[in-house]
Amino acid sequence: MLVPMRAILEAADHYGYGQGAFNMNGDCQVEAAVRIHEILRSGAILQGAEASNGFMGGAADFMHASAEEKRLGARRIGDQVKRHAGDSPIPVCLHLDHGKSLEMVQACIDGGYTSVMIDGSSLPYEDNVALTREAVKLAHPYGVSVEGELGVLAGVEDHVFSATSTYTNPLQAIDFFKKTGCDALAISYGTMHGPNKGKNAKIRREIAIATKECMMHEGIRGFLVSHGSSTVPQEYVQQINEMGGQLENAYGIDVNQLADVTRCGINKINVDTDIRLACTRNIMEMFEKHPEMQKSEAIGPVWEKLKAQPKNVDPRNYVQAIMATVIDGSGDKGDVRCVTDCMRTAVMEAIAPLLVQFGSYRKSHLIEAVTCEQMVDRYKKEGI
Ligand code: G3H
Ligand code: 13P
Ligand code: ZN
């Protein structure tokens, strides 16, 4: 069933485990993600970022998708999640990742998302507060949860590059929760987006501890989120490079540090890059093992594009030839199926170990089966 993110994070917080949140860019990925969460009996948070919504709306140039394409994509992902997870025994949340505008928030709510992020972290503090407050006012009447962000992660965040990070100030985080009424907050504490987090990146766990401690003192029942948390498995990098890739300085966050912060107040852990890497490795492997596929009319162009971009790990940049299948599942057979099956396997193998290491496996029964409709009254009662 579909639930708001608040229900999933309440269980994670109460029972002391971390909940992974995984970015989706294709019908086959949604299908596989739901399946692996079901097998491991974990609640699921599936995410669509602004660019994913654009891509899923059919924009090959997904970085510059129009509002209309994003709106269509949001509805398409919403429908897919309902189709693959509507009758699932596990609670599943569909969450907007790094939403930038109230327009995008509304489009996602209309499309069936049960949670949204509004990312005002690049704005001056008071403007971030005002924007996030507006998003809460928009989303809570639908029972939809809201995540905000405070502090700046180094690296590429939503395609805006920042050379240095500004760590989250725990006291300001308290003020932010109080003024906005948001359910969850992404903090900056040493992680970064993308595959180049630096060798031995160190999480400043004390920022999470201090923030959560202050929240408890102030009676704030909110959750903390760790973005940029891919682990960048080194064998993925090595195998991609052995097959012609050119990934340099690709290092992630040590998974032991992530498991540790689940005990320091972090409730949600965002992972996207690991899935991209696994897809790219698997698709390259398939073309190497089956060279006849390199000449296939249907998927040969995927191989050509993949080969031409040895530094790229994002499947959206090379699957254009089978775009229709990726975005809506149509025509998923024959040679095309060889690629989508690589993506299914990739999603499962990237996610499965993290569900175990973050501790959410075998916990789905602990999550309250509450709908967004039922959340509406709770928010009203609490006046948020
Ligand atoms: O934090 C950003 C996520 O990795 C989503 O990436 O905006 O390229 O879909 P995207
Ligand atoms: P990674 O790039 O580390 O996978 O981070 C993903 C993320 O934070 C999505 O919001
Ligand atoms: Zn992020």
Side-chain angles (χ1 to χ4, degrees):
M1 73 175 290
L2 259 65
V3 300
M5 187 164 77
R6 184 155 195 114
I8 294 181
L9 296 186
E10 250 160 20
D13 197 47
H14 185 79
Y15 294 101
Y17 63 86
Q19 177 68 52
F22 303 99
N23 289 61
M24 298 287 110
N25 288 282
D27 182 67
C28 57
Q29 294 196 328
V30 172
E31 182 191 349
V34 171
R35 190 73 197 114
I36 193 63
H37 283 83
E38 283 176 349
I39 291 170
L40 292 177
R41 296 188 181 237
S42 164
I45 300 177
L46 308 183
Q47 309 196 128
E50 290 232 2
S52 335
N53 284 322
F55 175 76
M56 295 294 280
D61 184 7
F62 53 89
M63 308 280 244
H64 305 102
S66 67
E68 210 33 60
E69 286 166 326
K70 289 184 193 178
R71 172 170 276 280
L72 172 62
R75 183 163 297 283
R76 198 169 267 151
I77 303 177
D79 289 346
Q80 284 165 7
V81 171
K82 271 181 219 143
R83 181 153 42 84
H84 294 298
D87 295 329
S88 175
I90 57 160
V92 177
C93 157
L94 175 59
H95 175 74
L96 166 64
D97 189 33
H98 294 287
K100 287 290 185 196
S101 66
L102 297 174
E103 188 188 14
M104 191 71 236
V105 166
Q106 185 68 58
C108 286
I109 294 172
D110 295 343
Y113 280 57
T114 60
S115 181
V116 292
M117 175 180 190
I118 185 81
D119 178 359
S121 60
S122 58
L123 302 173
Y125 180 68
E126 290 306 334
D127 295 348
N128 186 5
V129 167
L131 179 65
T132 308
R133 178 71 197 140
E134 286 307 309
V136 169
K137 283 204 240 164
L138 195 61
H140 279 186
Y142 295 93
V144 166
S145 321
V146 178
E147 175 181 330
E149 177 165 342
L150 194 55
V152 179
L153 274 68
V156 182
E157 181 159 18
D158 247 17
H159 319 296
V160 178
F161 181 77
S162 170
T164 50
S165 51
T166 311
Y167 293 123
T168 304
N169 172 344
L171 296 175
Q172 202 173 47
I174 301 304
D175 187 62
F176 192 85
F177 268 114
K178 283 185 179 168
K179 285 186 174 152
T180 64
C182 66
D183 302 88
L185 181 67
I187 59 167
S188 168
Y189 71 143
T191 61
M192 68 194 279
H193 290 104
N196 302 107
K197 303 183 198 302
K199 207 172 180 177
N200 306 319
K202 185 161 168 11
I203 293 185
R204 291 202 44 197
R205 68 205 285 274
E206 61 276 16
I207 295 177
I209 295 171
T211 307
K212 199 70 174 194
E213 202 64 23
C214 292
M215 286 166 70
M216 284 196 287
H217 282 295
E218 294 294 314
I220 294 167
R221 291 178 52 242
F223 312 104
L224 298 182
V225 183
S226 180
H227 278 246
S229 302
S230 272
T231 60
V232 187
Q234 289 302 290
E235 79 276 13
Y236 290 4
V237 175
Q238 198 187 326
Q239 289 155 355
I240 289 171
N241 284 345
E242 279 167 7
M243 291 183 287
Q246 291 171 12
L247 308 184
E248 286 166 19
N249 293 317
Y251 297 103
I253 306 290
D254 170 24
V255 75
N256 294 312
Q257 285 193 70
L258 294 168
D260 171 56
V261 294
T262 65
R263 295 180 284 271
C264 300
I266 294 291
N267 307 113
K268 171 177 180 256
I269 302 176
N270 281 16
V271 169
D272 183 355
T273 299
D274 285 357
I275 295 174
R276 297 180 186 193
L277 286 166
C279 283
T280 299
R281 193 271 311 266
N282 288 3
I283 294 170
M284 284 176 122
E285 224 169 46
M286 185 273 295
F287 279 117
E288 288 237 322
K289 276 195 197 139
H290 302 282
E292 71 282 6
M293 288 297 168
Q294 296 172 15
K295 306 251 178 318
S296 153
E297 200 180 315
I299 64 170
V302 173
W303 167 247
E304 294 301 330
K305 280 218 175 249
L306 179 49
K307 243 187 2 180
Q309 305 170 77
K311 292 181 194 300
N312 169 67
V313 295
D314 186 342
R316 296 176 300 190
N317 288 322
Y318 56 75
V319 295
Q320 288 89 340
I322 59 162
M323 181 102 169
T325 304
V326 174
I327 66 176
D328 67 16
S330 61
D332 195 0
K333 52 184 194 285
D335 293 357
V336 174
R337 181 91 191 183
C338 294
V339 175
T340 56
D341 273 349
C342 289
M343 295 171 79
R344 285 186 183 85
T345 312
V347 164
M348 295 208 228
E349 67 184 288
I351 292 179
L354 300 180
L355 297 185
V356 174
Q357 285 158 315
F358 298 163
S360 69
Y361 75 116
R362 296 198 195 140
K363 303 276 188 352
S364 59
H365 64 289
L366 300 174
I367 299 165
E368 188 190 3
V370 61
T371 61
C372 285
E373 290 70 31
Q374 290 167 316
M375 281 302 293
V376 172
D377 283 339
R378 295 191 198 179
Y379 283 131
K380 253 193 223 152
K381 270 191 205 125
E382 289 172 28
I384 46 176

